[in-house]
Amino acid sequence: MPGYHGTPLYGGAIVCDIPENFVDVSKLRQVPDNQEVWIDKSGFTSIIFDITERVGEPGHGAEIDGRAMTIHLEDMVGSDIETVKIWNTAETEFTRLELKAPAYTLIATQTPKIRQPRQDSSPPDFTAIIMTILRLEKYESDVLITINVPHIKGEYDEDEVDLELGKQGKLIGDAVEYSARIWETLNIKDWELFGEP
C-alpha cells in the first residue's frame, strides 16, 4: 500500500492526500491555471484536478448531474467518445468538506482506435478513467478529479483484468484506492478560488 502526503493544491486553496510516488507535472512543463496534474514516477498513471465552469441546468439530482458528467467526459475525450465504455457510476461523498455538495464517480475505459503503429511507442491496450465530479452550484463551478490509468502491453497482467467479470487488476485497484483517499482528505481552505458565490 502506498504512502500518502498531505498536498497543497492551487497555492494551498485546496489540500488533499496524494500518493508519495506522484510528482507535480508543473515542475516539468506548463499546466493551465485551472489544473493540477500529478504523475506516477514509476508508472503511467496520472491524477488531474480540473476546476471548470459548471455545466448543465440548475439544480441537482442523479439525472442532471449524470448529464453533466457525460458532458465533461465527452469534453475530455473529444471525438473519440465512441471508444469509451462506462462500467459504473456511483454517488460519492467528500467527508471533510463542510459544504455538502453532490458528487459522483464513474469508472470507464477508452480503447484506442486501431491506427498504423508508430515506431517510437506503442499505444496502450486501453486506458481506465476514474472521474469524480464535485458540483459546486453556489460557485457555478465543477471540480473534476480524473485518474487516467493507461494499460500498456507488458506492463500489466492481462489475466487480472476483465471488467465485465468485475476483475480490475492491480493498476485500476490502486487508482480506486487513490480516489477513495482523495474523497476522504480533500478540503477546500479558500473558497475565493471559485470567485464570488
Side-chain angles (χ1 to χ4, degrees):
M1 193 161 113
Y4 292 86
H5 54 90
T7 304
L9 306 172
Y10 300 101
I14 297 177
V15 293
C16 76
D17 285 3
I18 302 272
E20 286 175 344
N21 54 321
F22 277 67
V23 291
D24 182 352
V25 169
S26 70
K27 291 182 173 26
L28 310 170
R29 63 173 167 80
Q30 200 161 2
V31 170
D33 287 346
N34 64 315
Q35 287 187 348
E36 287 268 347
V37 182
W38 296 76
I39 191 155
D40 188 340
K41 282 190 281 201
S42 55
F44 302 98
T45 298
S46 62
I47 302 173
I48 302 167
F49 297 83
D50 196 359
I51 297 172
T52 71
E53 200 173 310
R54 188 181 190 279
V55 298
E57 57 261 54
H60 65 87
E63 201 173 305
I64 289 172
D65 296 332
R67 275 200 293 273
M69 278 194 100
T70 303
I71 291 167
H72 283 302
L73 185 63
E74 287 175 350
D75 209 31
M76 189 172 77
V77 299
S79 60
D80 288 338
I81 192 67
E82 74 277 1
T83 65
V84 174
K85 179 169 174 56
I86 297 173
W87 294 94
N88 65 5
T89 57
E91 233 173 302
T92 304
E93 186 184 357
F94 285 82
T95 44
R96 290 189 60 199
L97 275 188
E98 69 227 23
L99 177 76
K100 291 300 170 209
Y104 298 85
T105 299
L106 64 74
I107 296 180
T109 49
Q110 182 176 19
T111 307
K113 294 176 185 158
I114 304 302
R115 294 194 184 99
Q116 290 297 324
R118 293 196 318 253
Q119 297 305 315
D120 55 347
S121 66
S122 59
D125 292 344
F126 69 94
T127 299
I129 301 165
I130 300 172
M131 186 172 94
T132 300
I133 182 172
L134 174 63
R135 311 222 66 207
L136 303 175
E137 185 172 14
K138 178 177 165 185
Y139 293 90
E140 296 178 7
S141 298
D142 287 332
V143 179
L144 296 173
I145 303 160
T146 308
I147 303 182
N148 294 304
V149 191
H151 283 64
I152 294 164
K153 197 170 280 309
E155 299 290 331
Y156 72 103
D157 185 341
E158 292 179 43
D159 295 335
E160 284 184 9
V161 182
D162 188 334
L163 291 173
E164 284 190 28
L165 297 175
K167 289 163 59 175
Q168 293 181 328
K170 177 168 173 24
L171 296 176
I172 298 174
D174 287 351
V176 168
E177 186 187 301
Y178 304 155
S179 296
R181 186 67 174 245
I182 290 168
W183 307 330
E184 287 167 17
T185 60
L186 186 133
N187 200 1
I188 297 173
K189 300 278 196 189
D190 184 0
W191 289 91
E192 287 179 16
L193 176 65
F194 303 100
E196 288 295 311

